[in-house]
Amino acid sequence: MQQIVNGLSLGAIYALIALGYTMVYGIIKLINFAHGDIMMVGAFVGFFSVTMLGVNIFVALLAAMAFCALLGVAIEKVAYKPLRQSTRIAALITAIGVSLFLEYVMVYFFTPNQRVFPAETFSLHNYHIAGLVISNKDMFVFGSAIILMIILQYIIKRTRTGKAMRAVSIDQEAAVLMGISVDKTISITFAIGSALAAAAGVLIGIYYNTINPLMGIIPGLKAFVAAVLGGIGIIPGAMVGGFVMGMLETMVSGYGSSLYRDAVAFGVLILILLIKPSGLFGKNTGEKV
């Protein structure tokens, strides 16, 4: 039970990152491998908001989300929009290039050294409940992620913007005929997905207490595995996949060895592609990704 509690916090972070992957893929069929590095930029914005501006963690979280929303839109306009009619492999290679660009720009300006969130950023307290140790850090990470997921579900299901996103995902040509701006909808999708990634970056900084310019690589790939596990392009699937990955990782670390947790994560990717490529919530359409 203690490992499950630990896994819920980590899984919530993976779910937030996976949502960005699945939203972008659902709209334009692009696997945005720069998404993990947008998360990293968000972590740095949150860190500098706390250390240089002296704001509290809630303001830092909002600042990181706002900055990365703009960054996501800029990346879409500059790097992905010109390739919208190109082959998928061209867009995929571009996404990898954007990922490397973000990583090494951050290394150049901020060095590859790790930075530690100040102790006063989040005062740690442990609560003993029914034999379990639950920290306020776990509660904050899990609660923040759940609130953001609920807001996302409201946007997708209850707003005009969400309806436009669903329409573009189903049929872009029909959406245009109905008066929907596809370009605007895609930009909004990147903005929302990038904001969620930024929030995940700040939460990772709180959870592990350290950040660095290359921190987005492994969590980004694991979140991609979570998106594929749930069914890429399916929002509830990304949420479930994230929690499954988080709990699986903590179980492997707790009962096996932390050395194997990354190997197990990518082993899950291989298994799901062999057994059910469409994911847990997906339906086989015969389309080859």
Side-chain angles (χ1 to χ4, degrees), residues 83-281:
L83 299 174
R84 208 170 284 167
Q85 304 302 321
S86 301
T87 60
R88 290 191 189 181
I89 191 66
L92 181 64
I93 292 171
T94 301
I96 295 172
V98 172
S99 171
L100 294 171
F101 176 78
L102 290 175
E103 289 169 13
Y104 289 98
V105 163
M106 295 296 286
V107 167
Y108 178 80
F109 285 105
F110 301 111
T111 75
N113 298 329
Q114 287 195 344
R115 285 173 165 79
V116 179
F117 270 76
E120 60 271 16
T121 301
F122 203 94
S123 299
L124 182 63
H125 299 287
N126 290 325
Y127 301 94
H128 298 269
I129 302 172
L132 300 176
V133 179
I134 303 175
S135 69
N136 60 339
K137 181 188 294 187
D138 291 328
M139 294 167 65
F140 177 77
V141 169
F142 182 76
S144 300
I146 292 298
I147 290 170
L148 290 172
M149 290 180 204
I150 291 172
I151 293 172
L152 175 64
Q153 281 294 91
Y154 177 81
I155 292 172
I156 296 295
K157 299 294 185 181
R158 301 293 183 182
T159 66
R160 291 174 62 87
T161 298
K163 290 178 182 178
M165 291 167 65
R166 284 183 283 144
V168 172
S169 175
I170 294 169
D171 191 326
Q172 286 194 17
E173 294 181 0
V176 171
L177 294 175
M178 296 302 293
I180 296 172
S181 172
V182 172
D183 288 341
K184 181 180 177 181
T185 302
I186 292 173
S187 294
I188 291 173
T189 302
F190 268 87
I192 294 174
S194 299
L196 293 176
V202 176
L203 295 178
I204 282 181
I206 294 171
Y207 191 81
Y208 289 113
N209 209 38
T210 59
I211 61 172
N212 67 79
L214 302 181
M215 64 178 281
I217 299 173
I218 296 300
L221 289 175
K222 288 181 180 177
F224 170 67
V225 174
V228 174
L229 175 62
I232 192 151
I234 302 169
I235 288 177
M239 296 179 186
V240 172
F243 284 112
V244 170
M245 289 298 298
M247 285 191 280
L248 181 64
E249 182 172 326
T250 54
M251 290 293 181
V252 171
S253 299
Y255 293 101
S257 171
S258 60
L259 296 175
Y260 300 130
R261 62 185 184 182
D262 294 343
V264 170
F266 298 116
V268 169
L269 176 61
I270 294 170
L271 286 176
I272 199 69
L273 290 176
L274 289 173
I275 298 170
K276 197 173 189 296
S278 58
L280 298 176
F281 288 72

Side-chain angles (χ1 to χ4, degrees), residues 14-71:
Y14 287 152
L16 281 180
I17 308 171
L19 285 169
Y21 276 113
T22 210
M23 287 172 65
V24 169
Y25 185 84
I27 296 288
I28 59 173
K29 299 297 183 287
L30 167 70
I31 297 173
N32 181 19
F33 277 123
H35 194 63
D37 297 295
I38 293 174
M39 179 212 74
M40 172 269 296
V41 173
F44 270 84
V45 173
F47 172 80
F48 287 120
S49 296
V50 169
T51 55
M52 297 180 67
L53 302 180
V55 301
N56 62 42
I57 193 62
F58 296 100
V59 177
L61 188 67
L62 293 175
M65 292 175 70
F67 181 88
C68 286
L70 295 175
L71 177 62

